[in-house]
Amino acid sequence: MRRPFLNVLPFAFIACGLSACFAADHGPAYVDPEVAAEKDPDFLFQGEYANSDRGVQVIALGDGQFRTVTYPGGLPGAGWTQKERRSREGTRESLASVLEGVERVERQSDTLGLAPPEDAIVLFDGTKETFTQHWRDGASMTVDGLLIQGATTIDEMQDFQLHLEFRLPYMPEARGQARGNSGCYVQGRYEIQMLDSFGLGPKDNECGGIYQASAPKLNMTFPPLTWQTYDIDFQAARFDDAGKKTAPAKVTVRHNGTIIHGNLSLPGNTPGGVMKDESAAPGPLFLQNHGDEVRYRNIWFVPASSEDSDEQQS
């Protein structure tokens, strides 16, 4: 059942004048690339490098320290042969030989800025109108029109196609789950992880992973403060009249344009969502607040027709 729509929905705007803050025990967290470039010279060195033979990802670790990860053939999703990666840590000077012969590249998802089709429901486009019409009380946005982590839609969804763009903070001194953590909970039940996993191996608790279900086929995470995309095809779990599940939920996820989950069956809901169990009821889009400054834009979905949904589930 659709949750009641509030006639007057309180909303909040948060100024983005503080473009860098300090997370407890995790060092600085930058939410603006221009500020990061001005305040931390390591930001301009971290990133992706490539030539025709190999790709290199350079991860900033704070205080002038870096990790390089070298991929034979090219970068993930752009030539990597899937052969073993090579990793080194050190200063910019000590790692100079790793970057000999490669040039810096700035990749963009091929769905970045994708316009919603005519039959789409636009959940957020940076305007006050979409913010107040589609997001529950407690959501907030910046003065320059970005949605802030910790937001849940008023709209509830069953089977759909979703487009969402997100930007993870630059937190060079943070590690693991403390580094730019959020989550995209489809139907408020199933989490597709958002995390600064740039340069890591794919796991179910890293970016693109689905907890307790599957690691992504490929880690397609771009460097922090780069806009990234999720394009998600979702079919809800099916239940009979007695409430017994007859078919699992299924999901296909494209991260930055590359399929990382293909028609994956989901064994059950993920802890931490706003919908605590599986049922035939639709659910909202929930963008988790894990305490890190994650930003979102250009969010829309297209409900699937009942005929299309039945064909995909069969």
Side-chain angles (χ1 to χ4, degrees), residues 38 99 164 170 189 203 237 245 276 283 285:
E38 177 184 354
L99 298 180
L164 177 147
Y170 173 60
R189 293 185 172 100
K203 297 180 180 179
K245 185 164 73 171
K276 302 306 180 184
L285 173 66

Side-chain angles (χ1 to χ4, degrees), residues 149-151 181-185 191 193 271-272 286-290 296:
Q149 78 282 349
N181 199 333
S182 181
C184 173
Y185 280 78
E191 180 185 13
Q193 171 76 311
F286 167 51
L287 301 174
Q288 181 190 44
N289 183 357
H290 207 279
Y296 316 89

